[in-house]
Amino acid sequence: VVARKVKQILNMYPAGYEAQLKVFKDRRALQDYYEGIFGQRKKIISFYVYKRNTIYTSQKDISEHVLAHELAHSIVDHYFIILPPENIAEMLAIHVDNRLKD
């Protein structure tokens, strides 16, 4: 349901689109996993990795807005042939989050 809303807001429907979701028990485990991938510690509640086609979050932080924001990143990345610049993808993800509030 959330993915459908995000696609409608973006008006982007990537063919054969499907993303994975990994939910960690707590935020610390999520941040440990992030550090293992990127080699740096960062305070985050969720993130998306294009090469793994996976959204990561924790049980405490998962919500419709968090999921929609990360799904927007995923959908945008799979819609365009060339990955958009990170700041453009972030603007689109924020747009989705704002529209969900309407």
Side-chain angles (χ1 to χ4, degrees):
V1 175
V2 177
R4 186 176 60 232
K5 286 182 188 178
V6 173
K7 289 176 187 176
Q8 288 172 340
I9 291 168
L10 292 171
N11 195 26
M12 294 180 184
Y13 302 89
Y17 171 77
E18 192 173 298
Q20 303 299 312
L21 175 65
K22 182 168 176 81
V23 181
F24 289 87
K25 182 178 178 180
D26 55 37
R27 193 179 291 172
R28 182 177 181 88
L30 172 71
Q31 292 172 350
D32 288 347
Y33 195 80
Y34 182 94
E35 185 177 11
I37 293 173
F38 298 107
Q40 60 182 350
R41 193 83 181 165
K42 193 172 180 181
K43 290 188 175 187
I44 50 158
I45 62 168
S46 66
F47 65 98
Y48 166 72
V49 178
Y50 173 76
K51 289 183 179 182
R52 297 176 182 206
N53 194 29
T54 304
I55 295 166
Y56 303 89
T57 192
S58 70
Q59 289 177 0
K60 177 184 177 187
D61 296 305
I62 195 166
S63 69
E64 182 180 44
H65 288 280
V66 166
L67 191 54
H69 183 93
E70 299 304 337
L71 279 166
H73 281 292
S74 176
I75 290 166
V76 166
D77 285 355
H78 285 86
Y79 181 77
F80 294 105
I81 295 169
I82 298 172
L83 290 177
E86 200 171 307
N87 61 332
I88 301 299
E90 185 62 24
M91 285 180 1
L92 290 168
I94 290 169
H95 169 70
V96 165
D97 196 36
N98 288 335
R99 287 285 307 277
L100 276 181
K101 294 174 186 173
D102 292 344

